Amino acid sequence: MTTAILGLGNMGKGLAKRLAGKTELVLGASNVAAAADFAKSVGATVTDYKSAVAAADIVILAVPYPVALELVKTLSLAGKTVIDITNPIKADFSGLSIGHTTSAAEELQAAAPAAKVVKGFNTIFASLFDTPASATANVPVFVAGNDAAAVDAVAALVTAAGFAVEKVGGLDGARLVEPVGMLNIRFGYGLGQGTAIAPAWLKLAA
């Protein structure tokens, strides 16, 4: 299984570090030369977005939502499992730009109908990737998707990255998960709790 990460901001690099050695990694970058040293540090190859997608079974969109929406319209994603980690945040960070009746994940699926879009990792701050995997083993990553095999593949990747899996059903579940991501952002930045936080999901004994 080969995983492509498109975008090498904090989230893309964090995921690459956590997944290094757990899956064949190819990194997609807008500036390939500038990403060469980082790619070498995680044992990955780096290329342009189109070539990274062509080499991969799973594609992680580690770019802002507006960029992701434009990218999926131009890339050959048919049959690929595509992980949407975005939150459709307003420019002033005051809230989500879409939601409740649709979601970023559903809009990406509509733009790339032959892909198998799965929501995941949008409630995780990038700083958590720099902590030991043992510290995040019980931190949930909420996973939503319409294709059962794609959801299972993403769940395996979540576990490999050192997190717990919480499946939330079909892709419309992203309408619920994306506001959780926004709430986490509000706690972290608006309410000053910092980025060493994550939503918890507790199962209490009856």
Side-chain angles (χ1 to χ4, degrees):
M1 189 73 72
T2 299
T3 302
I5 300 175
L6 307 188
L8 292 176
N10 291 336
M11 287 294 291
K13 286 182 175 178
L15 277 165
K17 286 186 283 187
R18 279 294 187 97
L19 292 174
K22 310 291 179 53
T23 179
E24 291 293 324
L25 268 182
V26 57
L27 308 180
S30 55
N31 186 332
V32 173
D37 286 345
F38 175 77
K40 184 178 180 181
S41 74
V42 294
T45 57
V46 61
T47 184
D48 59 84
Y49 291 146
K50 182 178 179 180
S51 298
V53 167
D57 305 289
I58 297 176
V59 177
I60 301 175
L61 299 174
V63 293
Y65 169 64
V67 177
L69 189 59
E70 292 307 309
L71 268 181
V72 299
K73 296 174 183 176
T74 64
L75 296 172
S76 298
L77 294 168
K80 308 281 186 182
T81 295
V82 177
I83 307 177
D84 168 33
I85 74 169
T86 71
N87 285 306
I89 301 170
K90 293 180 179 178
D92 63 0
F93 283 74
S94 63
L96 299 178
S97 60
I98 58 174
H100 302 299
T101 58
T102 187
S103 63
E106 290 169 284
E107 294 301 304
L108 291 169
Q109 182 68 86
K116 295 175 282 189
V117 176
V118 178
K119 193 75 188 183
F121 290 108
N122 71 296
T123 60
I124 302 298
F125 279 125
S127 61
L128 296 191
F129 295 123
D130 291 326
T131 64
S134 59
T136 61
N138 294 319
V139 173
V141 167
F142 302 99
V143 178
N146 293 334
D147 185 283
V151 168
D152 286 343
V154 174
L157 207 64
V158 168
T159 301
F163 295 89
V165 177
E166 286 290 348
K167 296 180 181 179
V168 302
L171 196 60
D172 62 348
R175 302 177 193 181
L176 307 175
V177 175
E178 289 173 10
V180 175
M182 186 68 239
L183 179 62
N184 200 42
I185 291 167
R186 173 169 288 192
F187 278 133
Y189 293 105
L191 298 176
Q193 293 191 21
T195 60
I197 60 171
W201 196 253
L202 301 178
K203 295 181 175 70
L204 304 179

